[in-house]
């Protein structure tokens, strides 16, 4: 392409490449990390036995340790990184690698939060968003991650922290991403995070949301 514009051939291929990216990314996002780990690695229903709350995560950490936690996060990261890289590589053919990365990220997050194979009842998008942003804009990922940590330390609300990080991430994308399409997609990602956490936000406003404070498990001291 010349003068920063894609060639006619590359431009004609863009709809096809975006379609392939959407299918791959949404599929990867729709695959439940919890179910995958339950069936292939831990051989138990970790969603049922170790719910994502203080008690459940503490018991999971005690049972499987750091290695088990790394396995879960590793699979979550891998199923995000693969489609994002594919999207970037495909769209790079037309000179729009950034759009490919961000579009794949959007589709992964959409599949993670609203998977059609699970009747649109998905999992948290935190790890997926963080993994994708590290590929797209590491600096933005670090700053937004820092905002997440600060809000969490002050409030102890994961949902509020996630929304704060997503809003800041979108704002930073306005001044760091090159293409308008990328910025619009980042806005949609932010909206998904807000929709994903809407019930928790309402409970926070009503002072009915439980704070998440992960404490060190010392119950083993009382085991026989």
């Amino acid at each position: 392409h010349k003068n920063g514009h894609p060639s006619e051939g590359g431009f004609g291929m863009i709809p096809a490449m975006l379609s392939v990216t959407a299918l791959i990314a949404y599929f990867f996002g729709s695959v439940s990390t919890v179910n995958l780990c339950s069936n292939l690695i831990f051989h138990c229903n970790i969603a049922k036995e170790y719910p994502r709350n203080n008690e459940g995560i503490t018991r999971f950490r005690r049972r499987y340790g750091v290695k088990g936690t790394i396995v879960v996060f590793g699979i979550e990261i891998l199923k995000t990184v693969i489609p994002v890289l594919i999207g970037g590589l495909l769209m790079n053919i037309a000179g729009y690698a950034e759009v490919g990365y961000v579009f794949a990220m959007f589709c992964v997050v959409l599949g993670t939060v609203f998977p059609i194979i699970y009747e649109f009842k998905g999992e948290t998008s935190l790890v997926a968003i963080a993994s994708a942003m590290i590929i797209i804009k590491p600096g933005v990922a670090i700053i937004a991650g820092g905002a997440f940590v600060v809000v969490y330390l002050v409030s102890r609300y994961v949902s509020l922290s996630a929304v704060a990080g997503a809003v800041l991430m979108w704002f930073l994308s306005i001044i760091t991403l090159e293409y308008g399409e990328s910025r619009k997609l980042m806005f949609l990602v932010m909206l998904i995070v807000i929709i994903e956490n809407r019930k928790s936000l309402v409970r926070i406003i009503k002072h009915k949301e439980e704070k998440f404070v992960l404490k060190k498990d010392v119950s083993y001291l009382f085991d026989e």
Side-chain angles (χ1 to χ4, degrees):
H1 52 86
K2 298 179 180 179
N3 300 322
H5 299 289
S7 63
E8 293 184 3
F11 185 79
M13 293 174 61
I14 286 178
M17 291 186 291
L18 288 177
S19 298
V20 172
T21 298
L23 290 173
I24 294 174
Y26 184 83
F27 170 77
F28 270 78
S30 298
V31 174
S32 170
T33 302
V34 171
N35 290 345
L36 196 62
C37 292
S38 296
N39 294 323
L40 299 181
I41 299 172
F42 301 112
H43 305 295
C44 71
N45 189 342
I46 60 175
K48 182 177 181 180
E49 296 189 26
Y50 308 100
R52 292 185 176 183
N53 53 31
N54 292 359
E55 182 181 356
I57 293 177
T58 298
R59 288 193 292 110
F60 178 86
R61 185 180 60 182
R62 178 186 171 193
R63 172 66 178 81
Y64 294 105
V66 176
K67 291 182 179 180
T69 304
I70 291 176
V71 167
V72 175
F73 278 96
I75 291 178
E76 183 74 20
I77 292 171
L78 192 62
K79 77 185 190 74
T80 298
V81 169
I82 291 175
V84 169
L85 290 177
I86 290 175
L89 289 173
L90 285 176
M91 287 298 291
N92 189 49
I93 297 174
Y96 287 120
E98 178 191 276
V99 176
Y101 288 131
V102 180
F103 181 67
M105 172 189 179
F106 165 72
C107 293
V108 169
V109 173
L110 188 65
T112 300
V113 180
F114 302 112
I116 191 172
I117 58 177
Y118 296 114
E119 299 179 348
F120 303 105
K121 298 177 181 178
E123 300 173 347
T124 178
S125 62
L126 279 176
V127 178
I129 292 175
S131 304
M133 281 309 300
I134 289 175
I135 295 175
I136 300 168
K137 287 290 180 181
V140 172
I142 292 172
I143 296 173
F148 174 92
V149 172
V150 170
V151 174
Y152 170 74
L153 292 176
V154 172
S155 68
R156 298 297 179 179
Y157 292 127
V158 174
S159 55
L160 182 62
S161 306
V163 171
V167 171
L168 180 59
M169 183 181 67
W170 167 69
F171 176 77
L172 293 174
S173 72
I174 296 175
I175 58 178
T176 59
L177 296 182
E178 181 178 358
Y179 299 106
E181 291 81 1
S182 301
R183 295 189 286 270
K184 291 175 183 177
L185 288 167
M186 290 301 301
F187 178 76
L188 293 178
V189 171
M190 180 190 69
L191 285 184
I192 292 176
V193 175
I194 294 174
I195 294 171
E196 174 189 2
N197 293 280
R198 66 191 185 282
K199 293 181 180 179
S200 295
L201 295 177
V202 171
R203 288 195 295 267
I204 290 174
I205 295 173
K206 295 181 178 180
H207 303 287
K208 295 182 179 180
E209 177 74 349
E210 180 181 356
K211 295 186 177 183
F212 187 91
V213 182
L214 187 60
K215 297 181 180 179
K216 184 178 180 180
D217 182 15
V218 294
S219 60
Y220 68 91
L221 297 174
F222 303 95
D223 292 345
E224 295 182 359

